[in-house]
Amino acid sequence: MGQNIKAIFFDVGATLRYVVEDADFTAAADRELMELVGATEDHDAFFEKLNNNWKAYRKWAKTGLLDVSEMELWLQYLLPDYPAERVAPHAAKLTRLWRDHDGRRVVHDGTLETLRELKARGYMLGIIANTITETEIPDWMCRDGVADCFKTVILSSKVRLRKPDPAIYLLAARCIGAKPEECAYVGDNPVRDVEGAKAAQFGAMVLFEDAGTADREGKAPTVLPDYNIKSIPELLDLFPALN
């Protein structure tokens, strides 16, 4: 890869971290979530309703390429029938617990070492992620000791824009202080991640082949990445040290 790339942005979900199913972990999260909102339904009925509301929100967000704040998410979309005074104070915690409903999130092998090495090679690193939580990614960065690796963190829940809208990529480039053509993006979604980076005219798009040949909704790609990798450490072969 040419030396014109100065900044490398990453997706997080499935790219840097993946979900490990853990029944006990999920059960504990489910109990705490129900306790916080004062749920009166049984577990299965409550989570069936919550999941249906979640699917409706996801459809709305993907259609409009917009995300909302955590408080708006819970009051307007996920639990609109619950008392606002009970839900609103716990919005941030509820979002984390809803994420934990899926399981534990762990980093892919070699991820932390690769991030540190790319920083040492002179690249500015950043994150562009579609996420409903405003704290989970920053907390992970601190917990795993890589917060100092990232100069810019752009979360859809904070800026409201979401991938593949090129505006979120261009915002990230401005924040990190680089031209779009000086930026690379690393993501796992062969549709959303690739389309957005290409539309923003990023200098390179690297696809981490985690999701297969179609995205999670079964949509086929319309544009192709510049590079394909099967593990995060392979990025070190693509991005040599900057002068």
Side-chain angles (χ1 to χ4, degrees):
M1 187 178 296
Q3 293 289 302
N4 61 311
I5 299 297
K6 298 179 180 178
I8 306 171
F9 288 96
F10 293 86
D11 174 48
V12 176
T15 301
L16 298 182
R17 302 191 302 165
Y18 63 101
V19 177
V20 175
E21 293 184 4
D22 184 326
D24 292 338
F25 181 84
T26 293
D30 289 358
R31 285 194 300 271
E32 187 173 358
L33 195 159
M34 294 182 71
E35 290 172 2
L36 283 177
V37 302
T40 56
E41 304 104 314
D42 66 34
H43 174 278
D44 291 349
F46 177 79
F47 279 96
E48 181 180 9
K49 177 180 69 175
L50 191 54
N51 192 51
N52 288 337
N53 290 346
W54 166 246
K55 289 179 179 178
Y57 170 74
R58 291 277 286 172
K59 182 177 181 180
W60 174 86
K62 290 182 177 182
T63 300
L65 297 185
L66 295 171
D67 266 320
V68 299
S69 69
E70 291 174 294
M71 186 175 293
E72 291 173 287
L73 176 68
W74 287 96
L75 295 184
Q76 298 183 31
Y77 296 95
L78 297 188
L79 291 178
D81 55 332
Y82 273 67
E85 64 272 15
R86 182 70 183 257
V87 174
H90 304 296
K93 181 64 175 178
L94 292 173
T95 308
R96 297 285 290 269
L97 293 170
W98 175 235
R99 296 269 293 164
D100 290 346
H101 176 75
D102 296 331
R104 293 184 293 106
R105 286 169 171 81
V106 299
V107 295
H108 286 288
D109 291 343
T111 292
L112 305 180
E113 296 83 358
T114 300
L115 293 172
R116 295 184 184 115
E117 176 61 23
L118 289 172
K119 180 192 175 186
R121 292 184 180 188
Y123 294 96
M124 298 182 290
L125 305 184
I127 285 172
I128 306 171
N130 287 350
T131 178
I132 58 172
T133 170
E134 300 174 16
T135 60
E136 181 186 309
I137 289 175
D139 284 353
W140 157 68
M141 291 161 50
C142 294
R143 185 173 62 253
D144 277 356
V146 291
D148 64 322
C149 291
F150 296 102
K151 185 176 180 180
T152 297
V153 178
I154 302 296
L155 308 177
S156 64
S157 55
K158 294 285 285 185
V159 303
R160 294 182 178 263
L161 302 167
R162 63 178 283 124
K163 300 179 296 182
D165 188 339
I168 194 172
Y169 294 84
L170 296 175
L171 172 62
R174 291 199 302 274
C175 289
I176 211 168
K179 299 175 183 178
E181 61 268 25
E182 296 173 332
C183 298
Y185 190 69
V186 182
D188 72 287
N189 190 298
V191 176
R192 178 176 61 241
D193 290 338
V194 180
E195 287 180 353
K198 289 292 189 178
Q201 298 185 334
F202 268 28
M205 198 288 148
V206 182
L207 181 66
F208 176 36
E209 296 180 336
D210 177 76
T213 58
D215 74 355
R216 292 170 185 81
E217 286 73 43
K219 184 179 178 183
T222 58
V223 291
L224 298 177
D226 299 297
Y227 304 92
N228 295 71
I229 59 173
K230 294 186 180 298
S231 70
I232 294 300
E234 290 179 45
L235 293 173
L236 300 179
D237 298 327
L238 297 178
F239 297 100
L242 298 178
N243 295 329

